[in-house]
Amino acid sequence: MLDKATALPDLLRRLDKLPEGHALDLRTYKRNRSVLIRRTGPDAFDVTEDGFRQERFQVPFSGLKKLLKVLFKREFPRSTKIRLYDLGEADGDALPTGRKVI
């Protein structure tokens, strides 16, 4: 679990080192809302929001910080802790069932 106040810089560092095809899942403490981030290319990310809104974004690494700030405010407004799961290799929309808590 990450503190929301320090989650963004730590998350960006992890995403910079994330191999292509791997994904990270961010969830609230209650696990009822999530933001899924999948690396699809050397400088391309697929971000899926599932909570207050169900949207999908495709952004380069340079646009990821601004998008995550908006999504944190929208999906985790009162959260102080954010759950972070490493999903490993994720192919398309088919995600692995096993999650590794970071």
Side-chain angles (χ1 to χ4, degrees), residues 23-73:
L24 293 178
D25 188 15
L26 302 167
R27 293 198 171 252
T28 59
Y29 182 76
K30 290 169 52 175
R31 298 185 191 117
N32 59 347
R33 294 187 297 275
S34 71
V35 174
L36 178 73
I37 306 167
R38 181 182 304 118
R39 187 171 205 146
T40 57
D43 190 36
F45 291 87
D46 185 29
V47 181
T48 306
E49 174 186 11
D50 183 24
F52 291 116
R53 294 186 188 172
Q54 284 73 35
E55 291 189 45
R56 194 171 195 165
F57 308 94
Q58 293 177 355
V59 294
F61 185 74
S62 60
L64 206 53
K65 183 176 181 179
K66 184 176 181 179
L67 176 64
L68 287 175
K69 277 185 175 183
V70 170
L71 292 179
F72 276 13
K73 285 183 181 180

Side-chain angles (χ1 to χ4, degrees), residues 1-30:
M1 294 188 56
L2 300 172
D3 278 333
K4 183 180 166 186
T6 61
L8 193 59
D10 186 38
L11 185 61
L12 289 173
R13 203 172 324 109
R14 288 177 197 256
L15 289 171
D16 192 29
K17 296 176 185 176
L18 192 69
E20 269 185 57
H22 286 237
L24 293 178
D25 188 15
L26 302 167
R27 293 198 171 252
T28 59
Y29 182 76
K30 290 169 52 175

Side-chain angles (χ1 to χ4, degrees), residues 89-102:
E89 187 100 23
D91 200 20
D93 285 334
L95 293 174
T97 56
R99 292 186 178 150
K100 181 180 169 187
V101 179
I102 296 178

